[in-house]
Each structure stands twice: as C-alpha cells, then as structure tokens.
C-alpha cells in the first residue's frame, strides 16, 4: 500500500486560522509516522483559500530529516507551480483536474481545456527537474451538478494525459457521490489500459462508508490511497454540504483486518492523532 496523508485537505477549509507554528509542529508529527507522502501545502489563490496562505513558510520549516516521507503541494495554474518549485522541500506538485466542466470552473476558474494546457506547461517545466506531477481527477465518480457520469469520460482524459507523459493520476470522489459499482468499474477498466500510469484513490466519503469503499477499490487492484486523520476536511469549492476525507484510522483498521503489510509507526500515529484532536477539536 502506498499511503498519502492529507493535512492540507484537512486544514484548507477550517474556519479558524491555524497558527503557522501549529501547522509546522503537526506536519512534523506526521512526518514521524512514515507515510509515503504528506499533502501539506497549497499554492493557489490566498483569497479563495486563506487558511493556506502561509504554505511557503510552513514548507521551509518542515524537518525532512525525520523520515523519507515526500512532501506534496497543490497548484491550480502554471504560476502556482513556479512558486511551489522555489521551495526545495517540495517533492510533488498536485493539480486538480475535473472530469466535471462545472467543477473545473468552480474550483480553478478555467475550463477543462484551459486546465489541460496549464498541466501540459507544468510538465514542460518539470522536464529538467527531479520532482513529479500528480493529476487529481476531481469528480471522477460523478458530481452533484446534474452532469452525466460515464467511465468512458474518465478514460478519455486518462488517454489525453497519458499522451503528454503524466504518470500519476488520483481518481477522486470529490463529493462522496461515488458508488461501489462505479469504483469497481473505474479500477477494473482504466488502469489496465495505461500500465505506465500509477492510479490511486482519493476518496471523500461518509465515515461509515469508509471500509466498503476501501475494500472494493483494493479488490479491484488499487494500492494507492489518500486519507486524513478523522476524515477532517474535504473540498470547500465543491458544494455547501462538505463531505470529509477518507479517515486515516479507517485505512489502518482496513489494513489490519485484511492483513495488509505497511510500515507506519503506529505509536507515532497515536501522537499525531492526539495533536490533531487539539487542532480540530474532535
């Protein structure tokens, strides 16, 4: 299992500003757990996501000597990518590309074609750089805007991104609308067509639906999952009824029940979990 913890996803919509040092201390506690990746910063409009306005400062203060965990940040345009790459601690850029045209405009104020052009420019920017690009397929399992969902639409964009050299795609259930049948359909149909692309799952879902969605994705071949402690967060640009992230503790429980090996330090996870309690008041 390849595991990404998403404190950025948890923090970005939090109503009260989390002090910069609190963010640094929390992310450093997560570094000690041993996740493969921490999604921990955002270089998007500070007006749209004011909670993440201090991402550059936070990134420069994270202690990368704690573990081999890689650091990922979200960007929504070429300029954001340029800003992010100025920080040497950044290992991965993540770009939210939407299968829904409506949500692409809502989330990044551009069309899908405009977003595709931005991503293509970012791949050129990274050609002489060791850092990598993850593309998140937002609304990959449907949307709340009345737009038709079909797996062939996801496949169409996977093909186009494959053609420009993208090697990491996270299929994202942005508003928790995805069903087990849709999850099974996508993971059974698309990854085998693009064996050079590493597909993963970035689920937003109700707490009680976590195990069943993890199970169907895993049984359909997915080995890469994003999550956030207690499921805090979600996408503030999606709709008014915010659906939280896949809870990390549910992922850990799933791996225990299914007897799946992992390298997480569970004592350090308990420490990070307790720190999250003080930040998010659960």
């Amino acid at each position: 299992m390849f595991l990404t913890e998403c404190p950025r996803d948890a923090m970005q919509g939090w109503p009260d500003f989390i002090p910069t040092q609190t963010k640094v201390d929390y992310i450093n506690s997560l570094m000690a757990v041993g996740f493969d990746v921490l999604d921990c910063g955002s270089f998007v409009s500070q007006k749209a996501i004011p909670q993440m306005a201090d991402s550059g400062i936070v990134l420069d203060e994270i202690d990368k000597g704690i573990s081999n965990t890689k650091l990922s940040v979200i960007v929504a345009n070429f300029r954001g990518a340029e800003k992010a790459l100025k920080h040497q601690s950044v290992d991965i850029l993540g770009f939210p590309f939407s299968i829904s045209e409506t949500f692409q405009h809502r989330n990044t104020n551009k069309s899908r074609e405009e977003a595709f052009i931005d991503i293509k420019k970012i791949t050129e920017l990274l050609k002489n750089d060791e850092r990598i690009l993850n593309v998140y397929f937002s609304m990959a399992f449907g949307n709340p805007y009345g737009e038709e969902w079909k797996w062939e639409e996801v496949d169409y964009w996977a093909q186009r991104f494959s053609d420009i050299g993208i090697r990491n795609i996270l299929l994202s259930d942005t508003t928790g609308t995805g069903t087990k049948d849709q999850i099974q359909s996508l993971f059974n149909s698309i990854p085998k067509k693009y064996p050079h692309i590493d597909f993963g799952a970035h689920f937003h879902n109700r707490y009680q639906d976590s195990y069943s969605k993890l199970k169907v994705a895993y049984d359909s071949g997915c080995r890469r999952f994003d999550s956030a402690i207690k499921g805090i967060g979600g996408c503030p640009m999606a709709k008014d009824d915010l659906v939280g992230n896949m809870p990390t503790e549910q992922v850990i429980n799933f791996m225990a029940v299914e007897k799946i090996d992992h390298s997480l330090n569970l004592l350090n996870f308990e420490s990070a979990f307790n720190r999250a309690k003080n930040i998010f008041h659960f």
Side-chain angles (χ1 to χ4, degrees):
M1 293 269 281
F2 186 97
L3 302 174
T4 297
E5 175 69 15
C6 303
R8 185 268 313 168
D9 224 356
M11 294 187 289
Q12 65 182 6
W14 198 248
D16 303 319
F17 187 78
I18 302 168
T20 300
Q21 191 58 50
T22 301
K23 290 173 182 166
V24 172
D25 292 341
Y26 178 47
I27 294 169
N28 279 334
S29 72
L30 292 170
M31 290 288 288
V33 179
F35 294 101
D36 294 288
V37 175
L38 291 182
D39 175 3
C40 61
S42 180
F43 289 86
V44 299
S45 167
Q46 295 183 11
K47 182 179 179 181
I49 310 290
Q51 184 67 253
M52 306 309 295
D54 58 353
S55 284
I57 300 171
V58 171
L59 283 158
D60 291 342
E61 293 298 320
I62 295 171
D63 184 358
K64 294 195 73 175
I66 294 174
S67 69
N68 293 322
T69 298
K70 303 295 185 184
L71 299 184
S72 178
V73 299
I74 289 293
V75 301
N77 52 44
F78 183 78
R79 185 174 63 178
E82 288 183 311
K83 289 181 179 179
L85 292 174
K86 291 178 181 178
H87 298 272
Q88 294 302 311
S89 58
V90 172
D91 301 296
I92 302 165
L93 301 182
F95 193 108
F97 177 85
S98 180
I99 300 302
S100 159
E101 184 74 21
T102 299
F103 185 63
Q104 190 70 63
H105 281 281
R106 187 168 179 170
N107 196 34
T108 65
N109 198 32
K110 55 172 62 76
S111 69
R112 288 181 295 179
E113 288 296 338
E114 289 170 330
F116 181 81
I117 291 169
D118 256 358
I119 292 169
K120 190 173 181 180
K121 289 168 61 180
I122 293 170
T123 63
E124 293 293 324
L125 184 65
L126 291 171
K127 274 190 174 178
N128 297 316
D129 198 302
E130 294 182 353
R131 290 172 282 190
I132 63 173
L133 176 64
N134 290 344
V135 176
Y136 292 84
F137 273 16
S138 303
M139 303 292 176
F141 300 91
N143 63 78
Y145 311 122
E147 296 165 312
E148 181 185 7
W149 179 89
K150 52 184 179 180
W151 77 266
E152 290 88 353
E153 183 75 4
V154 182
D155 180 52
Y156 167 78
W157 286 106
Q159 179 66 66
R160 291 192 63 182
F161 282 111
S162 173
D163 290 344
I164 64 170
I166 296 301
R167 294 294 177 265
N168 297 280
I169 294 177
L170 285 302
L171 301 178
S172 303
D173 187 6
T174 315
T175 54
T177 58
T179 66
K180 290 188 288 185
D181 286 344
Q182 288 173 325
I183 293 169
Q184 184 179 54
S185 175
L186 282 192
F187 281 105
N188 280 338
S189 302
I190 293 179
K192 64 185 179 184
K193 296 183 66 175
Y194 310 97
H196 51 285
I197 295 178
D198 188 7
F199 286 89
H202 183 102
F203 292 146
H204 293 178
N205 53 262
R206 305 295 178 189
Y207 204 88
Q208 63 269 23
D209 296 332
S210 300
Y211 196 99
S212 61
K213 290 192 174 183
L214 286 167
K215 174 71 171 169
V216 70
Y218 187 86
D219 288 350
S220 300
C222 182
R223 295 295 183 270
R224 179 173 182 166
F225 293 92
D226 292 5
S227 62
I229 286 176
K230 204 62 179 178
I232 302 295
C235 182
M237 309 302 289
K239 62 175 185 174
D240 295 334
D241 183 15
L242 191 63
V243 179
N245 286 283
M246 173 64 67
T248 306
E249 61 275 16
Q250 292 276 39
V251 177
I252 291 173
N253 176 62
F254 172 77
M255 292 189 296
V257 173
E258 300 292 330
K259 296 180 172 57
I260 300 168
D261 291 335
H262 65 83
S263 58
L264 300 183
N265 184 315
L266 295 184
L267 286 177
N268 288 345
F269 176 75
E270 183 178 359
S271 176
F273 188 92
N274 288 333
R275 192 179 290 272
K277 280 185 180 179
N278 293 328
I279 298 172
F280 301 111
H281 316 301
F282 57 82

